[in-house]
Amino acid sequence: MPVKNRLAELHADITAWRRDFHEHPEILYETHRTAGIVAEKLQAFGCDEVVTGIGRTGVVGVIHGKSDSAGKVIGLRADMDALPIHEQTGLDYASKTDGAMHACGHDGHTAMLLGAAQYLAETRNFDGTVVLIFQPAEEGGAGAKAMCDDDLMKRWGIQEVYGMHNWPGKPVGEFAIRPGAFFAATDQFDIEIEGKGGHAAKPHETIDSTVIASHTVLALQTIASRNADPIEQIVVSVTAFETSSTAFNVIPQRVHLRGTVRTLSPDVRDLAETRLRAICEGTAATFGGTAKVDYHRGYPVMVNSEEQTEFAAGVARDVSGSCSDAPLVMGGEDFAFMLEERPGAYILIGNGDTAMVHHPEYNFNDEAIPAGCSWLAEVVERRMPAA
Ligand SMILES: [Zn+2]
Ligand SMILES: [Zn+2]
């Protein structure tokens, strides 16, 4: 069972939709144009219900199968938002919006889910209901959470959810997946270190905030190397070090540190936060200063359910001939919020030899469309087989 014929027929249409989205990227919750087109198309395909404004600018479409003997409901999710990046692809359909770009392929995800929706609305060859979920603000805005907070799962009785992301460097149209923890929890921290500023030639009359901050940056590395179990995955990165003075001859009063913590289990996440606070406050106190820590919890760990992952991998193998074991990813993915509410699976689809996502020369590979759409449609038809 390779790519579905009907979806191969629709390849040119879906590619045109994708390139139109690419040309008109919208950031975070500002996906008004995209959501409008999505809703319009879902209506035109004959969806049984189309609702806008879920999670601010999210769209939900509902398609009932030919029969509904067991009341099964599956959710398929795509993300619609772009990134604040200045596109450098030189494509004839490159972004027309300065400083916004579809650099993560969400244009492709949205177009593929629309393609699957058209096919499913035409054929309805399944026993149950599919809920098509188009979310805004995956890139740092927690759009998936906003849709869940608008009662997405309960309102449509969704029992399982599936999502997909393109993956540069993997052969186009091939799949990869893993059960359990898959994408990392992504937290951020701001640390304000306060000493006592003064003349650089009279350090004994100051409390040097740069010395405290330097010790702090190094000590924070012991969370990964000395506190977390070595078999666990954790990243602690300090990404900004800003002194309150940039003069040659001034010891600054304050230093602001900023960074990110990535973890793959709730226990390690808690440990990291606890240790980060203790290290910052303790190090500052050692040298007579103070540290104020703001720790912001971002996306949770994204965990694929065992059973649904095995099922999703089986479908992928049938569509493209292979489905490999995906590596752990220390990046974040807000589909994690949906997987916290319902069992399901998230799969990667190869984007071929392209620039990495979030790079200004990245582009979604339209050759992945037939396989991606076929996987989405097959998940519905095989999980809820027609009577
Ligand atoms: Zn991204
Ligand atoms: Zn993405």
Side-chain angles (χ1 to χ4, degrees), residues 79 104-106 109 138-139 165-166 333 346 357-358:
D79 36 17
C104 204
H106 300 184
H109 305 162
E138 192 287 320
E139 301 286 1
H165 206 292
N166 75 92
E333 167 55 73
Y346 183 86
V357 289
H358 294 208

